[in-house]
Amino acid sequence: MNTPTAPSKSTAAFFLQAAIAFAISFVGTLVGIAYLPIDAWQRGFLGMSLLFLVTSTFTLAKVIRDQQEASTVRVRVDEARLDKLIAEHDPFKTAA
């Protein structure tokens, strides 16, 4: 079983470095595609492939993050509390 750990806090410098690295790689790839000696439809295909790759990467990162957050102790305790409340709730019981 995975042992949950406290989530690490990213610094502003790390976030900036990651954003700059992403921007440079994305723009560099776009420029490379633009200057390739190929037909326009081939260039378009590579451009669409790049955009699909970027969006699917963001989606994968979000899914992994959501899965990791769902396995933390705090979330599991909250789910257990909610399950207990639902199990104990009787909708036909009148308030006294």
Side-chain angles (χ1 to χ4, degrees):
M1 175 175 238
N2 293 346
T3 305
T5 59
S8 62
K9 300 290 182 184
S10 296
T11 63
F14 180 73
F15 177 79
L16 184 63
Q17 178 187 0
I20 289 171
F22 172 77
I24 290 172
S25 65
F26 187 74
V27 170
T29 305
L30 283 177
V31 170
I33 290 172
Y35 284 102
L36 280 173
I38 55 177
D39 293 336
W41 71 268
Q42 293 168 321
R43 195 173 286 119
F45 176 78
L46 291 175
M48 285 184 5
S49 299
L50 174 65
L51 291 176
F52 183 70
L53 179 65
V54 168
T55 58
S56 61
T57 301
F58 279 115
T59 302
L60 177 63
K62 183 188 178 309
V63 167
I64 291 171
R65 184 202 61 205
D66 291 348
Q67 188 177 29
Q68 183 180 8
E69 285 179 355
S71 68
T72 62
V73 172
R74 179 186 52 81
V75 172
R76 289 187 296 183
V77 168
D78 290 343
E79 287 176 355
R81 287 180 184 158
L82 182 62
D83 288 345
K84 181 181 176 193
L85 285 173
I86 291 172
E88 292 175 351
H89 177 68
D90 184 3
F92 300 111
K93 184 178 179 182
T94 57

